[in-house]
Amino acid sequence: MLNKTNALIYFLAFSSGFSIMGIELLGGRILAPFFGSSVHIWGSIITVFMLSLSFGYLLGGKLSIKRPSLTKYGLIFLLASVMVVPIALFAEPIMAFIFTHIEDSRYGSLLASTALFFIPTIILGMISPYSVRLLVTDSEHSGQVAGGLYFVSTLGSALGTIITSFYMVLAFDVNTIILGFATTLGFLGLLAIVVNQLTNKESKHV
């Protein structure tokens, strides 16, 4: 039976998947005014996201070995929240600088994508392996838990893609959506920390 803490972890993993794909999709809108929206622009964005996620998975797996807790898990969300904010605040001056110094839009878009998305996406990538570590209680069911977790996370990514592209971009400007993702990630991080503290208090009184 799924307990409340595990349900929260699944929900947070879903939310992180939603946020990752939402931000990636908005990357095309952010870069378009300076570099266009051709296939090599999307190639740059996808490459940066895939690379940074791979580093995030590696770092998240290593971090999960050392006394994993819901509080540390929440701190990852808080850090991700903080690192997403500069995308909204500094995207335009960063891209303007790169645009004026690199003539080839292929390399300019690749550098701009790296500057804007590499670090926040690494942090977001840490969430999935850390989620698995928190959910796994015995090695016998580790494969099943990992499969379920990645199903939920990927489902979140799919919904994040379609909801962002079909609805959010029609109702809000890009910076508002980015800041909305940052705020949501920060709230979820605080929620995880608070739940962990409440759970610890309840266990002490039992």
Side-chain angles (χ1 to χ4, degrees):
M1 184 177 180
L2 194 67
N3 62 43
K4 291 180 180 180
T5 300
N6 286 359
L8 176 63
I9 294 169
Y10 279 111
F11 175 69
L12 265 61
F14 171 91
S15 300
S16 72
F18 189 107
S19 300
I20 289 167
M21 286 308 300
I23 294 169
E24 181 175 357
L25 192 65
L26 293 173
R29 295 288 292 267
I30 294 171
L31 267 66
F34 290 88
F35 303 102
S37 56
S38 61
V39 66
H40 63 258
I41 305 301
W42 279 106
S44 296
I45 294 169
I46 293 170
T47 297
V48 169
F49 269 80
M50 292 299 99
L51 255 180
S52 53
L53 284 173
S54 67
F55 283 114
Y57 296 151
L58 185 64
L59 291 173
K62 288 186 175 181
L63 182 64
S64 69
I65 297 173
K66 301 176 181 179
R67 297 180 181 179
S69 71
L70 204 56
T71 293
K72 291 180 181 178
Y73 187 58
L75 289 174
I76 297 174
F77 277 83
L78 287 175
L79 183 58
S81 172
V82 171
M83 298 309 299
V84 166
V85 171
I87 297 174
L89 299 182
F90 306 117
E92 190 168 338
I94 288 173
M95 288 189 298
F97 178 82
I98 293 172
F99 180 76
T100 56
H101 287 79
I102 299 179
E103 293 184 3
D104 194 322
S105 63
R106 293 174 300 174
Y107 303 111
S109 63
L110 183 61
L111 182 57
S113 297
T114 302
L116 292 174
F117 306 116
F118 191 70
I119 293 177
T121 310
I122 284 178
I123 299 166
L124 286 166
M126 295 170 65
I127 293 170
S128 288
Y130 207 96
S131 301
V132 173
R133 179 64 185 87
L134 290 175
L135 290 168
V136 171
T137 54
D138 62 88
S139 57
E140 184 179 347
H141 296 93
S142 59
Q144 182 181 355
V145 169
L149 189 284
Y150 285 111
F151 165 79
V152 169
S153 178
T154 305
L155 181 62
S157 296
L159 289 175
T161 300
I162 201 164
I163 290 174
T164 302
S165 60
F166 278 31
Y167 304 106
M168 287 186 177
V169 294
L170 299 179
F172 309 100
D173 64 70
V174 171
N175 285 345
T176 300
I177 301 172
I178 292 291
L179 292 174
F181 281 129
T183 302
T184 301
L185 290 167
F187 171 77
L188 293 174
L190 290 174
L191 178 63
I193 294 169
V194 170
V195 168
N196 187 57
Q197 291 177 341
L198 292 175
T199 302
N200 290 339
K201 286 181 180 179
E202 288 178 2
S203 63
K204 288 178 180 179
H205 287 90
V206 173

